[in-house]
Amino acid sequence: MAAACLRLVWLAPLLLGLVDGGRAEPPRDALREELVITPLPSGDVAATFQFRTRWDSDLQREEGTDHYFLRYAVLPREVVCTENLTPWKKLLPCSSKAGLSVLLKADRLFHTSYHSQAVHIRPVCRNARCTSISWELRQTLSVVYDAFVTGQGKKDWSLFRMFSRTLTEPCPLASESRVYVDVTSYNQDNETLEVHPTPTTTYQDVTLGTQKTYAVYDLLDTAVINNSRNLNLQFKWKSPPENEAPPVPFLHAQRYVSGYGLQNGELNTLLYNTHPYRAFPVLVLDTVPWYLRLYVHTLTITSKGKENKPSYVHYQPAQDRLQPHLLEMLIQLPANSATKVSIQFERALLKWTEYTPDPNHGFYVSPSVLSALVPSMVAAKPVDWEESPLFKSLYPVSDSSSYFVRLYTEPLLVNLPTPDFSMPYNVICLTCTVVAVCYGSFYNLLTRTFHIEEPSTGGLAKWLANLIRRARGVPPL
Amino acid sequence: MAAPGVAATDLEVVRGKRAALFFAAVAILLGLPLWWKTTETYRAPLPYSQISGLNALQLRLMVPVTVVFTRESVPLDDQEKLPFTVVQEREIPLKYKMKIKCLFQKAYRRALEHEEAALSLGSMQEAETMLAKSQKQAEGSLTVYVISEHSSLLPQDMMSYIGPERTAVVRGIMHREALNIVGHQVIQVAQAMSLTEDVLAAALSDHLPEDKWSSDKRRPLKSSLGYEITFSLLNPDPKSHDVHWDIEGAVQRYVQPFLSALSAVGNFSVDSQILYYAVLGVNPRFDPASSSYYLAAHSLPHVINPVESRLGSSAASLYPVLNFLLYVPELAHSPLYIQDKDGAPVATNAFHSPRWGGIMIYNVDPTVYNASELPVRVEVEMVRVMEVFLAQLRLLFGIAQPQMPPKCLFSGPKSEGLTTWELDQLLWARSVENLATATTTLTSLAQLLGKISNIVIKDDVASEVYSAVAAVQKAAEELASGHLASAFIASQEAVTSSERAFFDPSLLHLLYFPDDQKFAIYIPLFLPMAVPILLSLVKIFLETRKSWKKPEKID
């Protein structure tokens, strides 16, 4: 979270197909919105907005999905800025006029140390037999503020300090509009911190495998937006918290390129399972552009120094300029281990018009996608998706003992061998010079006439010699 | 010793001269053409003369009119002259480089048995249905029935009748000049049903010089292969109004029949959306007299811009988008009325913007506020709304109110809201417009290619140009022979081919190849090669001149 990792991923509905609710009939045109605020002891504050819109459609769901139409596409790097936020906000029913969306002010949202913005669209069954479907549009925006740095060493925060706005009214179209504040470790004693205004209700739940407590503010509850007609959540640390290390997630990953030179290289993915005693499988999906020619026989997976055989490998080779490599593997991660997946590749030479305008910057390789059912520490009750808050479905619980996580590793930047782009001109110049030199001497040889020059008889020497000769009486030269 | 030596040197000099000349000859005869050929930009031949010929194209629009005489419509001796054909020609005066002539080809004939029977029926509707059963008329053609002077089909004071199909009825006359009088009436009716000057002027409005009427004539959408129609419900105040509209049903019931009647003109796609918190760009004024708010006519142009940024449909479509907005004003600003230039409220409470779409303001019935608390549930009366939107849609497609000749009865359109001959009128106009567009595109492409010699013309671009030219010519021919449907299709082909040629990306490939780079590449080769050749040529030239002058002196 230290580096600003900006990504805008448009996910096909199929990628989200894992979560399939639809037990209860969703209301027509239902909008639910919520904001989850998680203050961290370090002074970072994470805020996650979620907006979910549903509408009915007459499209009938086909029997099964035709996998021929499955598409997966990634843009490895996109600099996210206001021009991504504006159309995203336009999709919200209340635009940015009412409800939680008033907080979405571009100049504050992009002054953060982390920004992630997403749009998900998927069909949802309206009844158990799935005879009719609704479409669900889910928009999420997560930002992390560094309150410690921006607040000159203070770790207190408020909505106004984060967003330079306060909540004034609920969106009239929303059937649910709530703010959740994570108060897990602080609510036992009111000594460490204070939340103002005092929450009327709290919500307890198991998220990411641990027990969490949230203070809930329901905007549709008229008492919440008080007489001053606005809600400005404030959070004060009474005694400065210990700088404890943040909890390490059970699954995290890292990716890098190794090797030297411009011919060969190696893609490495490190997968960490920090769970003390449970092993779990991870599905790794990699798409690698065709100009990195993968050597599949060099694919090695090692964990704890031993070879780890994947239980499932699907590989689709690349075709030059047509399709990238697709590599999918199911790997079992042993408990408390780091697993290294590495594969060697050769860098291809591109045609000279295929290079980007700044070829020496390198070429981006898309992140690999990890999907896993991570075992949780605390058993979670199975819940009804329609009833529980939206953020629950970010990490849906499949059964009581594990929850689903999808991780994206960092994109890679790989240098390709770049030609000297002035080479054609140099070649032309050199060839021309060689041709000109050859031609010149040949031309001279053929057109010049050569004849032997009579040595010219020396003037003064001859006259002197003749003078002496005449004096001697010898005939002159 | 000296003489043979001199001879040998002379021989050498001559050989050197010959070698230099040979070098020059090879360089000029072989090298230059080779260089020219290998570095040439590929330019496929184009029909330049035909393209410039298109500008002087004379469009002859022929309207085939069949005039059918019933038994007692005209005097007997006139009837005996039947059948025969008369062509009436009329030039349409437009300030346009194309000359447009309108031909009415009137084919006179006697009525057949079933036609006699149909026209002797009691009412016009029955007669029409019976006539429609018997024959199918081609696009663009018209049939005019001349009935007896005393027939009860027409009301007494009416002289003619124009039906919803391609038929009309004219009252005959017993007179010595009967054929002339009837012929004049037929032309009047046929003109109203087919080509009028206004229709063509509106079609060519983009190509005509500006005049004071031009803004009105620029209302219709430009011709295109398809159109996208978006209905948007704007609810700026969802806290007080919970607005519902049955747009799906309304589109099915009112818009779809109209569009399927228009389907010959292009593909249509219809979508709808509801936008909340979308406000107009102008603050309405309060009128204390009627305690209502109003938008003045002069402020209407500023209304659209802030709304348009939220409509967002134009980005997703290749075709022109028509927007129809239904605006339910905020509680604080209702009721809201649109005032015209004189300050009187507009009856429909709607306005349209040329080539963009229409906006209608829908005021909520004030009595509902008393009954229940906010938000008030509002069900939009779709009939009222669609009436206005359909009228605007007609205007935006350039279907003007028909101009009737005097004493003419007009039946009104069928249930689709469009008469068949109005559709024909639209096809005439669109064909002419397409031809004008294609000609302009081709002419400017030819001009551009003539001016810039760096542009590569690939074979496929050339073939597009050829097919566009052929399609223009075919469309013109079909128009002249009165085949409207095929002429329209050909004109559409002409537009698509010409645009495809004009916007082909391959035209840009070498456009910006700068001259200094060319010199930088050529100089290292050409300079060292050309200098010795030129120098020896100069030397040879000087020597020969000297040797020519010498003999003169001796003489």
Side-chain angles (χ1 to χ4, degrees):
Chain A
M1 252 179 233
C5 172
L6 307 172
R7 190 191 304 131
L8 186 72
V9 186
W10 290 73
L11 286 170
L14 301 145
L15 288 174
L16 283 149
L18 254 154
V19 196
D20 214 287
R23 253 160 287 179
E25 185 155 327
R28 190 181 163 89
D29 280 347
L31 167 74
R32 285 176 67 181
E33 50 178 22
E34 66 175 41
L35 166 63
V36 182
I37 297 173
T38 316
L40 298 170
S42 62
D44 285 341
V45 185
T48 303
F49 290 89
Q50 270 208 58
F51 301 90
R52 197 197 71 180
T53 323
R54 272 192 186 169
W55 65 98
D56 295 350
S57 86
D58 291 334
L59 282 177
Q60 287 307 306
R61 194 170 191 157
E62 299 288 318
E63 282 303 307
T65 313
D66 191 347
H67 287 258
Y68 187 74
F69 297 114
L70 268 176
R71 293 287 183 275
Y72 171 74
V74 188
L75 191 62
R77 188 183 154 81
E78 158 104 7
V79 180
V80 179
C81 72
T82 21
E83 66 183 12
N84 300 89
L85 187 69
T86 313
W88 188 89
K89 275 202 293 199
K90 268 191 209 170
L91 294 174
L92 298 171
C94 275
S95 192
S96 53
K97 300 276 169 45
L100 294 176
S101 45
V102 285
L103 300 178
L104 301 171
K105 212 181 158 195
D107 60 339
R108 302 295 297 171
L109 290 179
F110 290 104
H111 262 116
T112 49
S113 38
Y114 178 84
H115 181 108
S116 155
Q117 200 180 321
V119 176
H120 309 278
I121 184 156
R122 61 164 189 165
V124 182
C125 291
R126 252 188 282 172
N127 49 22
R129 288 183 52 226
C130 216
T131 48
S132 56
I133 55 163
S134 298
W135 286 93
E136 183 186 281
L137 175 73
R138 190 189 289 249
Q139 293 169 263
T140 62
L141 175 70
S142 304
V143 284
V144 176
Y145 286 92
D146 194 344
F148 188 72
V149 171
T150 54
Q152 281 129 22
K154 279 188 193 166
K155 294 173 180 176
D156 305 338
W157 60 264
S158 66
L159 279 188
F160 188 76
R161 262 180 68 186
M162 286 199 318
F163 301 105
S164 74
R165 299 275 175 97
T166 53
L167 294 169
T168 49
E169 54 174 352
C171 172
L173 306 162
S175 59
E176 190 185 293
S177 180
R178 283 181 184 159
V179 182
Y180 292 85
V181 181
D182 185 353
V183 288
T184 309
S185 50
Y186 325 117
N187 69 330
Q188 288 90 351
D189 49 337
N190 272 326
E191 300 300 303
T192 41
L193 96 171
E194 187 187 320
V195 187
H196 180 82
T198 348
T200 45
T201 49
T202 54
Y203 173 80
Q204 293 213 344
D205 194 28
V206 178
T207 307
L208 279 173
T210 50
Q211 187 76 35
K212 293 271 174 94
T213 312
Y214 295 93
V216 185
Y217 299 88
D218 191 346
L219 291 190
L220 295 178
D221 184 359
T222 41
V224 167
I225 293 178
N226 53 16
N227 309 336
S228 61
R229 296 180 58 82
N230 67 45
L231 172 68
N232 182 19
L233 279 177
Q234 286 169 330
F235 206 90
K236 279 200 183 105
W237 295 93
K238 277 187 174 169
S239 56
E242 301 283 314
N243 274 337
E244 56 192 59
V248 181
F250 288 145
L251 172 69
H252 59 109
Q254 230 182 322
R255 200 170 190 223
Y256 58 92
V257 178
S258 59
Y260 54 87
L262 283 174
Q263 196 185 356
N264 294 311
E266 197 171 23
L267 285 177
N268 300 288
T269 314
L270 283 173
L271 312 171
Y272 296 94
N273 174 6
T274 56
H275 200 283
Y277 51 83
R278 288 273 301 267
F280 57 87
V282 173
L283 191 67
V284 182
L285 175 77
D286 249 332
T287 46
V288 182
W290 63 267
Y291 39 79
L292 302 187
R293 304 194 196 283
L294 292 185
Y295 294 144
V296 191
H297 70 278
T298 61
L299 176 67
T300 50
I301 303 163
T302 48
S303 34
K304 289 183 169 174
K306 276 181 285 181
E307 198 196 336
N308 185 343
K309 233 179 145 77
S311 45
Y312 161 78
V313 179
H314 169 73
Y315 175 66
Q316 197 180 338
Q319 285 173 31
D320 281 7
R321 296 175 183 86
L322 288 179
Q323 71 175 35
H325 301 270
L326 179 77
L327 182 61
E328 209 175 2
M329 292 172 288
L330 189 66
I331 304 169
Q332 184 78 15
L333 302 184
N336 207 0
S337 70
T339 305
K340 184 177 173 187
V341 181
S342 59
I343 186 163
Q344 289 179 11
F345 64 86
E346 189 188 299
R347 296 161 214 248
L349 260 177
L350 301 182
K351 288 181 184 163
W352 75 296
T353 48
E354 284 170 348
Y355 285 95
T356 48
D358 53 345
N360 289 310
H361 176 71
F363 289 75
Y364 284 96
V365 176
S366 56
S368 44
V369 186
L370 315 176
S371 321
L373 287 173
V374 179
S376 58
M377 294 296 268
V378 191
K381 294 186 293 285
V383 285
D384 186 4
W385 294 115
E386 289 307 313
E387 298 301 316
S388 56
L390 288 176
F391 67 85
K392 283 287 288 175
S393 52
L394 271 185
Y395 308 105
V397 178
S398 66
D399 54 70
S400 62
S401 62
S402 56
Y403 57 94
F404 178 77
V405 168
R406 179 170 285 135
L407 285 184
Y408 293 84
T409 62
E410 50 271 69
L412 296 177
L413 188 59
V414 178
N415 267 317
L416 288 189
T418 46
D420 173 8
F421 288 100
S422 63
M423 192 173 62
Y425 175 68
N426 296 346
V427 168
I428 290 173
C429 281
L430 187 69
T431 332
C432 290
T433 316
V434 170
V435 167
V437 167
C438 294
Y439 162 84
S441 38
F442 194 57
Y443 188 85
N444 271 342
L445 207 65
L446 288 180
T447 54
R448 292 278 160 95
T449 48
F450 301 95
H451 48 91
I452 300 151
E453 190 84 352
E454 300 277 331
S456 67
T457 44
L460 187 67
K462 199 180 174 183
W463 180 72
L464 277 174
N466 282 345
L467 251 162
I468 296 163
R469 276 175 173 253
R470 205 183 297 162
R472 281 170 58 199
V474 188
L477 281 171
Chain B
M1 269 313 274
V6 169
T9 342
D10 274 352
L11 218 67
E12 277 287 289
V13 169
V14 169
R15 192 193 55 79
K17 267 187 195 168
R18 278 191 193 146
L21 281 174
F22 186 70
F23 262 104
V26 167
I28 290 164
L29 294 180
L30 203 70
L32 274 182
L34 195 72
W35 165 70
W36 191 255
K37 200 75 203 154
T38 45
T39 58
E40 187 184 44
T41 46
Y42 182 72
R43 288 166 75 88
L46 289 184
Y48 289 107
S49 60
Q50 286 186 49
I51 291 173
S52 57
L54 290 183
N55 272 323
L57 192 71
Q58 245 198 8
L59 273 188
R60 296 155 67 86
L61 312 177
M62 186 158 74
V63 186
V65 186
T66 317
V67 186
V68 181
F69 288 89
T70 56
R71 230 167 272 143
E72 280 146 20
S73 52
V74 283
L76 266 179
D77 48 338
D78 275 339
Q79 288 215 12
E80 272 161 18
K81 293 179 198 157
L82 303 176
F84 67 97
T85 307
V86 185
V87 177
Q88 272 199 356
E89 196 174 295
R90 201 165 67 93
E91 190 153 332
I92 294 180
L94 285 176
K95 287 185 213 151
Y96 187 55
K97 54 195 174 183
M98 272 187 190
K99 289 270 170 296
I100 300 177
K101 270 186 186 165
C102 205
L103 296 151
F104 290 97
Q105 186 195 43
K106 293 187 285 184
Y108 290 97
R109 68 170 169 85
R110 268 190 241 194
L112 303 172
E113 275 309 312
H114 70 271
E115 285 167 340
E116 290 279 2
L119 288 168
S120 57
L121 284 172
S123 77
M124 195 56 94
Q125 274 72 30
E126 286 173 47
E128 257 178 355
T129 43
M130 192 160 168
L131 286 171
K133 243 185 274 171
S134 61
Q135 61 172 2
K136 200 173 164 349
Q137 283 183 304
E139 281 88 352
S141 65
L142 298 171
T143 309
V144 182
Y145 295 96
V146 184
I147 55 170
S148 110
E149 202 175 349
H150 310 291
S151 169
S152 57
L153 273 178
L154 288 176
Q156 277 308 312
D157 52 333
M158 286 294 171
M159 288 304 289
S160 53
Y161 163 84
I162 293 179
E165 297 286 340
R166 300 181 180 98
T167 51
V169 174
V170 169
R171 199 186 283 280
I173 194 162
M174 288 295 174
H175 194 272
R176 268 192 299 134
E177 292 284 306
L179 277 187
N180 276 346
I181 295 167
V182 168
H184 182 68
Q185 273 192 336
V186 166
I187 287 292
Q188 268 193 344
V189 168
Q191 267 183 10
M193 291 173 79
S194 59
L195 289 161
T196 47
E197 217 169 284
D198 289 351
V199 171
L200 289 176
L204 293 172
S205 58
D206 271 354
H207 306 277
L208 289 178
E210 296 247 359
D211 56 34
K212 52 184 171 175
W213 298 290
S214 61
S215 66
D216 200 35
K217 283 175 184 149
R218 274 172 203 206
R219 188 165 49 205
L221 273 181
K222 286 190 76 174
S223 178
S224 153
L225 291 181
Y227 304 90
E228 195 169 305
I229 299 169
T230 306
F231 293 99
S232 310
L233 172 64
L234 306 188
N235 183 1
D237 190 8
K239 268 203 295 189
S240 4
H241 298 140
D242 177 21
V243 188
H244 293 261
W245 67 343
D246 176 28
I247 185 67
E248 239 174 291
V251 166
Q252 281 296 334
R253 221 167 308 139
Y254 309 112
V255 183
Q256 215 56 55
F258 179 75
L259 294 183
S260 49
L262 270 180
S263 62
V265 180
N267 302 320
F268 293 93
S269 66
V270 181
D271 42 47
S272 71
Q273 59 181 344
I274 301 178
L275 293 175
Y276 298 96
Y277 289 103
V279 285
L280 301 182
V282 179
N283 260 339
R285 299 269 182 84
F286 184 65
D287 178 22
S290 58
S291 73
S292 64
Y293 291 81
Y294 68 91
L295 287 172
H298 63 84
S299 64
L300 293 181
H302 311 294
V303 161
I304 294 171
N305 278 2
V307 181
E308 184 154 34
S309 68
R310 285 202 57 195
L311 293 177
S313 50
S314 55
S317 175
L318 288 172
Y319 297 134
V321 181
L322 277 179
N323 293 291
F324 292 98
L325 312 185
L326 183 68
Y327 183 78
V328 181
E330 306 101 303
L331 181 56
H333 285 153
S334 49
L336 178 65
Y337 296 104
I338 297 175
Q339 282 188 350
D340 61 12
K341 285 192 185 90
D342 309 324
V346 177
T348 52
N349 217 4
F351 67 98
H352 72 265
S353 169
R355 292 184 184 179
W356 184 82
I359 297 186
M360 180 180 178
I361 292 173
Y362 187 91
N363 284 315
V364 178
D365 181 13
T367 54
V368 294
Y369 296 120
N370 311 331
S372 57
E373 57 181 24
L374 298 177
V376 174
R377 190 181 162 90
V378 181
E379 285 288 347
V380 177
E381 237 183 285
M382 290 314 280
V383 187
R384 225 177 87 198
V385 174
M386 280 299 155
E387 229 172 28
V388 175
F389 283 168
L390 268 185
Q392 287 177 340
L393 197 59
R394 272 175 65 100
L395 285 177
L396 290 166
F397 273 105
I399 308 166
Q401 281 302 316
Q403 295 171 330
M404 288 295 134
K407 284 193 175 183
C408 179
L409 183 71
F410 176 46
S411 75
K414 290 179 294 180
S415 56
E416 304 89 273
L418 187 72
T419 63
T420 321
W421 53 266
E422 274 174 332
L423 180 68
D424 287 349
Q425 249 179 5
L426 192 61
L427 286 183
W428 286 113
R430 286 288 146 98
S431 308
V432 173
E433 187 191 344
N434 283 344
L435 284 187
T437 315
T439 316
T440 317
T441 315
L442 285 174
T443 317
S444 33
L445 179 67
Q447 263 179 12
L448 187 78
L449 293 179
K451 214 179 271 174
I452 306 173
S453 56
N454 255 351
I455 298 182
V456 181
I457 308 173
K458 283 192 175 174
D459 281 337
D460 48 345
V461 175
S463 74
E464 290 289 355
V465 172
Y466 271 105
S467 60
V469 171
V472 169
Q473 284 165 347
K474 189 190 169 206
E477 272 169 33
E478 296 283 347
L479 280 178
S481 55
H483 300 135
L484 183 54
S486 48
F488 178 69
I489 291 168
S491 73
Q492 268 189 332
E493 270 168 29
V495 170
T496 30
S497 309
S498 63
E499 307 254 293
R500 219 180 292 150
F502 192 84
F503 294 107
D504 197 284
S506 72
L507 293 181
L508 297 176
H509 278 175
L510 285 180
L511 187 56
Y512 301 109
F513 204 83
D515 278 340
D516 53 342
Q517 287 199 13
K518 266 186 219 168
F519 286 119
I521 288 171
Y522 290 143
I523 280 178
L525 181 66
F526 279 19
L527 205 63
M529 282 184 91
V531 166
I533 291 182
L534 286 179
L535 282 181
S536 35
L537 282 183
V538 167
K539 205 176 152 195
I540 290 168
F541 175 70
L542 288 177
E543 272 177 20
T544 40
R545 211 174 59 171
K546 215 186 272 169
S547 63
W548 278 351
K549 276 182 183 168
K550 253 182 206 164
E552 277 171 24
K553 272 183 186 172
I554 291 164
D555 285 338

